[in-house]
């Protein structure tokens, strides 16, 4: 069903939607969005979810919306509360799609105290510094275990850094079991029915969102889940997509599966290459042969000329070390290599061992450029890049062998792990 057709009357008429006693959704619908953060496809639009919690002693607003949707957000807010009642504004995450309406909300509710995570003030400063006049709200930075009382009910804070920004946190309303979880468990799906039990299945949207937003932070997702699971929340209220209230534990378990650490096994070295005249391919084969001599290291080689980046990403995520081989054409590595290297930002590669190699005609910059990218991803480069001019000689094939052995030994602490190749001797 098209998003516009699926809207409830409340969503269509810009009214707040109750999600629990004294708790309302006051977000905005963006059914027309087709690209998010420049890179994500959003064929089904998205929502910017914000919430309002009413207690005996006042009202808390949790997150806001993208600036262009402020009017819709304020209309929903005004349908259930007066600005003078707002005691607290909680921002679980300050990315502009959730903080865009903040300056105007601060202007309308100047008495409200702003609650953000301890990592958020620098981001807040960046957001507010150009606003004239600059808002200076009362500010409280919070950590896990801190809470905010609204009278008979409390909002408890739970820091979940790097899912997916440094500032990210969750806020838990224990009496109703509602977890306001920021981007966690979110997806880009605009459906005015708002609740998972009204919408039906949308796992592909959750998986796509996880793959592009959360996957590089799988480790931090596991840490967040360890904090969230014992709470046994009855409602997951993310900042994008449907509110999850039908057996919410299945979403937690799904995230556990998505973020699972790769199974233990032998150390793995995956070698990716592309070759114009077969020379870089020869290097890859010799590197694999050398690596194969290291004790217990599983080695695989992959020609990326016709391959699918997605499948290679799974291999890289599961590998302990990776090597990338490219010829140099016009002073650069070739496009399939860059496509793969740019995709590494979507998975967790920090700390993995890595190396670069390739045959070149006259300059050989590809290897340095690949190494620079690998360092930028905070990968470890235990072996200097290996460049060979045109067709590898017998001696140069031996150098490839040594390169592979040394890279593999760096995984198992073998004899090659302390050697350094003398590249000056290798053309
Ligand atoms: Fe939906 Fe990270 O902002």
């Amino acid at each position: 069903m098209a998003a516009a057709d699926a809207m409830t009357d409340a969503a269509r008429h810009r009214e707040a939607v109750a999600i629990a006693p004294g708790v309302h959704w006051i977000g905005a619908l963006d059914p027309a969005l087709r690209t998010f953060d420049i890179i994500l496809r959003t064929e089904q639009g998205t929502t910017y979810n914000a919430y309002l919690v009413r207690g005996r002693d006042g009202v808390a607003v949790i997150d806001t919306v993208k600036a262009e949707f402020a009017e819709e957000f304020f209309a929903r807010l005004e349908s259930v509360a007066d600005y003078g009642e707002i005691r607290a504004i909680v921002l679980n995450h300050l990315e502009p799609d959730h903080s865009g309406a903040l300056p105007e909300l601060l202007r309308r509710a100047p008495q409200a105290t702003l609650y953000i995570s301890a990592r958020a003030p620098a981001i807040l400063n960046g957001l507010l510094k150009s606003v004239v006049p600059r808002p200076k709200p009362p500010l409280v930075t919070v950590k896990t275990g801190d809470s905010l009382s609204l009278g008979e009910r409390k909002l408890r804070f739970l820091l979940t850094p790097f899912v997916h920004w440094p500032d990210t946190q969750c806020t838990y309303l224990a009496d109703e079991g509602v977890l306001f979880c920021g981007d966690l468990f979110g997806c880009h799906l605009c459906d005015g029915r708002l609740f998972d039990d009204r919408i039906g299945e949308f796992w592909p949207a959750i998986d796509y969102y996880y793959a592009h937003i959360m996957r590089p932070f799988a480790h931090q997702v596991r840490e967040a889940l360890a904090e969230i699971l014992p709470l046994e929340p009855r409602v997951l209220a993310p900042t994008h997509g449907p509110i999850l209230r039908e057996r919410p534990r299945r979403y937690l378990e799904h995230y556990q599966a998505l973020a699972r650490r790769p199974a233990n096994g032998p150390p793995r070295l995956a070698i990716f290459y592309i070759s114009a005249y077969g020379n870089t391919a020869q290097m890859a084969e010799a590197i694999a042969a050398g690596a194969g001599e290291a004790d217990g290291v599983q080695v695989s080689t992959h020609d990326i000329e016709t391959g699918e980046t997605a499948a290679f990403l799974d291999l890289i995520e599961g590998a302990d070390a990776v090597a990338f081989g490219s010829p140099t054409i016009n002073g650069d590595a070739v496009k399939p290599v860059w496509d793969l290297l740019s995709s590494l930002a979507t998975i967790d590669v920090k700390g993995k061992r890595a190396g670069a190699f390739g045959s070149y005609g006259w300059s050989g910059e590809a290897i340095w450029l690949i190494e620079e990218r690998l360092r930028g991803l905070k990968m470890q480069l235990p072996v200097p890049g290996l460049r060979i001019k045109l067709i590898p000689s017998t001696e140069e094939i031996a150098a490839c062998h040594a390169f592979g052995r040394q890279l593999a030994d760096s995984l198992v602490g073998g004899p090659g792990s302390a050697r350094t190749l003398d590249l000056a001797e290798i053309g």
Side-chain angles (χ1 to χ4, degrees):
M1 185 182 296
D5 299 335
M7 288 186 188
T8 60
D9 281 349
R12 189 181 289 117
H13 294 127
R14 299 189 165 193
E15 292 168 1
V17 177
I19 69 169
V23 183
H24 284 86
W25 173 82
I26 55 168
L29 303 168
D30 188 358
L33 188 78
R34 290 295 171 266
T35 310
F36 184 88
D37 269 1
I38 308 167
I39 52 166
L40 266 77
R41 287 179 285 105
T42 50
E43 289 100 341
Q44 302 179 96
T46 196
T47 64
Y48 311 106
N49 297 334
Y51 302 93
L52 185 144
V53 180
R54 178 177 288 282
R56 196 176 52 221
D57 293 347
V59 157
V61 172
I62 301 178
D63 293 317
T64 76
V65 300
K66 199 173 179 180
E68 298 94 300
F69 293 84
E71 194 193 324
E72 188 175 333
F73 163 74
F74 287 122
R76 292 192 208 285
L77 191 160
E78 288 167 17
S79 73
V80 282
D82 296 327
Y83 293 108
E85 295 181 287
I86 300 173
R87 275 195 46 211
I89 300 167
V90 176
L91 283 188
N92 282 331
H93 176 30
L94 273 70
E95 194 165 0
D97 52 329
H98 309 300
S99 60
L102 178 67
E104 180 58 21
L105 180 60
L106 293 173
R107 198 185 65 74
R108 297 186 186 197
Q111 74 289 346
T113 298
L114 187 56
Y115 292 80
I116 56 177
S117 79
R119 302 222 188 174
I123 302 170
L124 181 69
N125 185 45
L127 291 169
L128 297 183
K129 67 180 190 293
S130 61
V131 178
V132 181
R134 181 173 173 161
K136 294 210 168 113
L139 179 68
V140 174
T141 57
V142 298
K143 58 185 186 312
T144 297
D146 289 348
S147 59
L148 157 65
S149 172
L150 294 173
E152 80 288 16
R153 61 196 339 189
K154 275 185 182 170
L155 290 167
R156 209 159 84 216
F157 301 107
L158 185 69
L159 297 199
T160 51
F162 288 101
V163 291
H164 62 125
W165 270 26
D167 64 319
T168 43
Q169 63 175 12
C170 296
T171 301
Y172 189 52
L173 179 66
D175 61 275
E176 287 298 330
V178 180
L179 184 74
F180 304 99
C181 47
D183 286 341
L184 269 176
F185 314 117
C187 66
H188 289 309
L189 168 63
C190 182
D191 192 314
R193 291 171 294 186
L194 290 183
F195 296 96
D196 60 347
D197 52 299
R198 293 179 181 165
I199 293 170
E201 296 291 311
F202 48 92
W203 292 108
I206 288 186
D207 289 350
Y208 182 78
Y209 189 87
Y210 178 90
H212 289 82
I213 299 290
M214 297 295 168
R215 190 175 175 182
F217 306 101
H219 173 75
Q220 290 87 348
V221 169
R222 290 194 291 271
E223 288 180 345
L225 288 173
E227 301 279 340
I228 292 168
L229 279 159
L231 300 175
E232 299 187 6
R234 300 197 291 279
V235 180
L236 298 170
T239 43
H240 296 289
I243 297 161
L244 312 171
R245 64 182 182 185
E246 185 181 40
R247 293 184 289 116
R249 190 165 179 97
R250 65 195 168 128
Y251 298 103
L252 302 179
E253 287 169 355
H254 191 67
Y255 252 56
Q256 272 185 312
L258 291 173
R260 185 162 290 137
R261 199 190 305 271
N264 284 336
R268 274 168 278 194
L269 165 63
I271 301 167
F272 301 89
Y273 70 93
I274 188 164
S275 192
Y277 294 104
N279 300 323
T280 301
Q282 269 195 65
M283 292 180 73
E285 284 161 21
I287 289 167
E293 290 177 0
D295 234 8
V297 177
Q298 196 177 82
V299 183
S300 60
T301 55
H302 310 275
D303 184 342
I304 64 173
E305 186 173 348
T306 56
E308 288 292 326
T309 301
F312 293 140
L313 287 182
D314 289 339
L315 286 169
I316 294 168
E317 198 166 52
D320 303 281
V322 284
F324 298 93
S326 176
T328 297
I329 297 183
N330 294 335
D332 204 348
V334 295
K335 186 173 180 298
V337 173
W338 283 124
D339 287 346
L340 186 54
L341 290 173
S342 69
S343 300
L344 299 187
T346 63
I347 59 172
D348 184 8
V349 294
K350 193 173 162 188
K352 284 186 197 289
R353 310 292 165 93
F357 63 93
S359 162
Y360 66 98
W362 66 89
S363 53
E365 293 93 336
I367 289 76
W368 299 321
L369 294 169
I370 293 170
E371 286 189 299
E372 204 172 299
R373 170 68 177 152
L374 300 175
R375 283 193 200 95
L377 290 163
K378 299 189 169 55
M379 300 178 87
Q380 297 180 47
L381 278 64
V383 191
L386 185 54
R387 303 159 63 239
I388 289 177
K389 193 171 180 74
L390 294 170
I391 301 169
S393 66
T394 306
E395 293 75 21
E396 287 167 337
I397 286 294
C400 293
H401 211 273
F403 176 99
R405 177 69 196 256
Q406 194 172 343
L407 189 55
D409 278 343
S410 74
L411 296 176
V412 292
S417 59
R419 295 205 312 263
T420 301
L421 294 173
D422 184 0
L423 290 177
E425 295 175 5
I426 306 170

PDB file of all heavy atoms in Angstrom, residues 204-217:
ATOM      1  N   PRO A 204      13.038  -6.430   5.227  1.00  0.00           N
ATOM      2  CA  PRO A 204      14.072  -5.927   4.292  1.00  0.00           C
ATOM      3  C   PRO A 204      14.459  -4.482   4.583  1.00  0.00           C
ATOM      4  O   PRO A 204      15.620  -4.110   4.444  1.00  0.00           O
ATOM      5  CB  PRO A 204      13.408  -6.065   2.919  1.00  0.00           C
ATOM      6  CG  PRO A 204      12.424  -7.185   3.099  1.00  0.00           C
ATOM      7  CD  PRO A 204      11.902  -7.022   4.500  1.00  0.00           C
ATOM      8  N   ALA A 205      13.479  -3.660   4.992  1.00  0.00           N
ATOM      9  CA  ALA A 205      13.797  -2.259   5.300  1.00  0.00           C
ATOM     10  C   ALA A 205      14.691  -2.176   6.541  1.00  0.00           C
ATOM     11  O   ALA A 205      15.622  -1.366   6.600  1.00  0.00           O
ATOM     12  CB  ALA A 205      12.511  -1.471   5.516  1.00  0.00           C
ATOM     13  N   ILE A 206      14.431  -3.023   7.520  1.00  0.00           N
ATOM     14  CA  ILE A 206      15.272  -3.043   8.730  1.00  0.00           C
ATOM     15  C   ILE A 206      16.682  -3.507   8.376  1.00  0.00           C
ATOM     16  O   ILE A 206      17.676  -2.924   8.818  1.00  0.00           O
ATOM     17  CB  ILE A 206      14.637  -3.951   9.805  1.00  0.00           C
ATOM     18  CG1 ILE A 206      13.401  -3.252  10.368  1.00  0.00           C
ATOM     19  CG2 ILE A 206      15.636  -4.295  10.911  1.00  0.00           C
ATOM     20  CD1 ILE A 206      12.738  -3.950  11.525  1.00  0.00           C
ATOM     21  N   ASP A 207      16.760  -4.555   7.556  1.00  0.00           N
ATOM     22  CA  ASP A 207      18.082  -5.092   7.185  1.00  0.00           C
ATOM     23  C   ASP A 207      18.880  -4.072   6.367  1.00  0.00           C
ATOM     24  O   ASP A 207      20.085  -3.916   6.559  1.00  0.00           O
ATOM     25  CB  ASP A 207      17.919  -6.388   6.380  1.00  0.00           C
ATOM     26  CG  ASP A 207      17.427  -7.531   7.253  1.00  0.00           C
ATOM     27  OD1 ASP A 207      17.388  -7.375   8.490  1.00  0.00           O
ATOM     28  OD2 ASP A 207      17.070  -8.582   6.693  1.00  0.00           O
ATOM     29  N   TYR A 208      18.205  -3.389   5.446  1.00  0.00           N
ATOM     30  CA  TYR A 208      18.895  -2.397   4.608  1.00  0.00           C
ATOM     31  C   TYR A 208      19.427  -1.261   5.483  1.00  0.00           C
ATOM     32  O   TYR A 208      20.561  -0.807   5.321  1.00  0.00           O
ATOM     33  CB  TYR A 208      17.929  -1.858   3.550  1.00  0.00           C
ATOM     34  CG  TYR A 208      18.543  -0.868   2.593  1.00  0.00           C
ATOM     35  CD1 TYR A 208      19.353  -1.294   1.545  1.00  0.00           C
ATOM     36  CD2 TYR A 208      18.331   0.500   2.744  1.00  0.00           C
ATOM     37  CE1 TYR A 208      19.933  -0.382   0.666  1.00  0.00           C
ATOM     38  CE2 TYR A 208      18.903   1.420   1.878  1.00  0.00           C
ATOM     39  CZ  TYR A 208      19.696   0.969   0.841  1.00  0.00           C
ATOM     40  OH  TYR A 208      20.276   1.882  -0.010  1.00  0.00           O
ATOM     41  N   TYR A 209      18.605  -0.831   6.410  1.00  0.00           N
ATOM     42  CA  TYR A 209      19.009   0.251   7.316  1.00  0.00           C
ATOM     43  C   TYR A 209      20.195  -0.195   8.175  1.00  0.00           C
ATOM     44  O   TYR A 209      21.184   0.540   8.329  1.00  0.00           O
ATOM     45  CB  TYR A 209      17.827   0.646   8.208  1.00  0.00           C
ATOM     46  CG  TYR A 209      18.077   1.883   9.021  1.00  0.00           C
ATOM     47  CD1 TYR A 209      17.810   3.139   8.492  1.00  0.00           C
ATOM     48  CD2 TYR A 209      18.603   1.811  10.309  1.00  0.00           C
ATOM     49  CE1 TYR A 209      18.050   4.286   9.227  1.00  0.00           C
ATOM     50  CE2 TYR A 209      18.840   2.943  11.046  1.00  0.00           C
ATOM     51  CZ  TYR A 209      18.568   4.183  10.502  1.00  0.00           C
ATOM     52  OH  TYR A 209      18.811   5.320  11.226  1.00  0.00           O
ATOM     53  N   TYR A 210      20.101  -1.404   8.721  1.00  0.00           N
ATOM     54  CA  TYR A 210      21.201  -1.915   9.548  1.00  0.00           C
ATOM     55  C   TYR A 210      22.492  -1.965   8.718  1.00  0.00           C
ATOM     56  O   TYR A 210      23.550  -1.513   9.177  1.00  0.00           O
ATOM     57  CB  TYR A 210      20.874  -3.319  10.091  1.00  0.00           C
ATOM     58  CG  TYR A 210      22.033  -3.866  10.899  1.00  0.00           C
ATOM     59  CD1 TYR A 210      22.124  -3.630  12.255  1.00  0.00           C
ATOM     60  CD2 TYR A 210      23.070  -4.573  10.278  1.00  0.00           C
ATOM     61  CE1 TYR A 210      23.218  -4.073  12.991  1.00  0.00           C
ATOM     62  CE2 TYR A 210      24.159  -5.016  11.000  1.00  0.00           C
ATOM     63  CZ  TYR A 210      24.225  -4.763  12.357  1.00  0.00           C
ATOM     64  OH  TYR A 210      25.324  -5.194  13.073  1.00  0.00           O
ATOM     65  N   ALA A 211      22.380  -2.504   7.486  1.00  0.00           N
ATOM     66  CA  ALA A 211      23.574  -2.693   6.653  1.00  0.00           C
ATOM     67  C   ALA A 211      24.273  -1.369   6.368  1.00  0.00           C
ATOM     68  O   ALA A 211      25.498  -1.311   6.278  1.00  0.00           O
ATOM     69  CB  ALA A 211      23.195  -3.388   5.351  1.00  0.00           C
ATOM     70  N   HIS A 212      23.495  -0.293   6.225  1.00  0.00           N
ATOM     71  CA  HIS A 212      24.101   0.979   5.816  1.00  0.00           C
ATOM     72  C   HIS A 212      24.398   1.914   6.963  1.00  0.00           C
ATOM     73  O   HIS A 212      25.199   2.837   6.818  1.00  0.00           O
ATOM     74  CB  HIS A 212      23.200   1.682   4.780  1.00  0.00           C
ATOM     75  CG  HIS A 212      23.224   0.972   3.464  1.00  0.00           C
ATOM     76  ND1 HIS A 212      22.455  -0.135   3.209  1.00  0.00           N
ATOM     77  CD2 HIS A 212      23.955   1.196   2.349  1.00  0.00           C
ATOM     78  CE1 HIS A 212      22.705  -0.557   1.986  1.00  0.00           C
ATOM     79  NE2 HIS A 212      23.600   0.218   1.437  1.00  0.00           N
ATOM     80  N   ILE A 213      23.742   1.723   8.096  1.00  0.00           N
ATOM     81  CA  ILE A 213      23.929   2.656   9.206  1.00  0.00           C
ATOM     82  C   ILE A 213      24.656   1.997  10.378  1.00  0.00           C
ATOM     83  O   ILE A 213      25.585   2.581  10.956  1.00  0.00           O
ATOM     84  CB  ILE A 213      22.556   3.189   9.691  1.00  0.00           C
ATOM     85  CG1 ILE A 213      21.854   3.947   8.566  1.00  0.00           C
ATOM     86  CG2 ILE A 213      22.726   4.093  10.915  1.00  0.00           C
ATOM     87  CD1 ILE A 213      22.467   5.270   8.176  1.00  0.00           C
ATOM     88  N   MET A 214      24.252   0.815  10.741  1.00  0.00           N
ATOM     89  CA  MET A 214      24.757   0.191  11.975  1.00  0.00           C
ATOM     90  C   MET A 214      25.910  -0.793  11.758  1.00  0.00           C
ATOM     91  O   MET A 214      26.699  -1.025  12.672  1.00  0.00           O
ATOM     92  CB  MET A 214      23.619  -0.559  12.691  1.00  0.00           C
ATOM     93  CG  MET A 214      22.490   0.335  13.143  1.00  0.00           C
ATOM     94  SD  MET A 214      23.059   1.491  14.412  1.00  0.00           S
ATOM     95  CE  MET A 214      21.671   2.630  14.484  1.00  0.00           C
ATOM     96  N   ARG A 215      25.990  -1.367  10.565  1.00  0.00           N
ATOM     97  CA  ARG A 215      26.942  -2.463  10.375  1.00  0.00           C
ATOM     98  C   ARG A 215      28.389  -2.109  10.711  1.00  0.00           C
ATOM     99  O   ARG A 215      29.095  -2.929  11.288  1.00  0.00           O
ATOM    100  CB  ARG A 215      26.833  -2.984   8.931  1.00  0.00           C
ATOM    101  CG  ARG A 215      27.599  -4.261   8.701  1.00  0.00           C
ATOM    102  CD  ARG A 215      27.346  -4.790   7.299  1.00  0.00           C
ATOM    103  NE  ARG A 215      28.178  -5.957   7.029  1.00  0.00           N
ATOM    104  CZ  ARG A 215      28.199  -6.597   5.865  1.00  0.00           C
ATOM    105  NH1 ARG A 215      27.400  -6.208   4.888  1.00  0.00           N
ATOM    106  NH2 ARG A 215      28.989  -7.627   5.682  1.00  0.00           N
ATOM    107  N   PRO A 216      28.852  -0.886  10.382  1.00  0.00           N
ATOM    108  CA  PRO A 216      30.251  -0.578  10.765  1.00  0.00           C
ATOM    109  C   PRO A 216      30.443  -0.559  12.282  1.00  0.00           C
ATOM    110  O   PRO A 216      31.583  -0.567  12.745  1.00  0.00           O
ATOM    111  CB  PRO A 216      30.467   0.840  10.202  1.00  0.00           C
ATOM    112  CG  PRO A 216      29.361   1.072   9.237  1.00  0.00           C
ATOM    113  CD  PRO A 216      28.222   0.215   9.663  1.00  0.00           C
ATOM    114  N   PHE A 217      29.354  -0.518  13.011  1.00  0.00           N
ATOM    115  CA  PHE A 217      29.447  -0.407  14.475  1.00  0.00           C
ATOM    116  C   PHE A 217      28.895  -1.667  15.145  1.00  0.00           C
ATOM    117  O   PHE A 217      28.291  -1.592  16.223  1.00  0.00           O
ATOM    118  CB  PHE A 217      28.682   0.842  14.947  1.00  0.00           C
ATOM    119  CG  PHE A 217      29.136   2.090  14.251  1.00  0.00           C
ATOM    120  CD1 PHE A 217      28.400   2.622  13.209  1.00  0.00           C
ATOM    121  CD2 PHE A 217      30.328   2.703  14.601  1.00  0.00           C
ATOM    122  CE1 PHE A 217      28.834   3.760  12.531  1.00  0.00           C
ATOM    123  CE2 PHE A 217      30.765   3.828  13.932  1.00  0.00           C
ATOM    124  CZ  PHE A 217      30.019   4.362  12.897  1.00  0.00           C
TER     125      PHE A 217
END
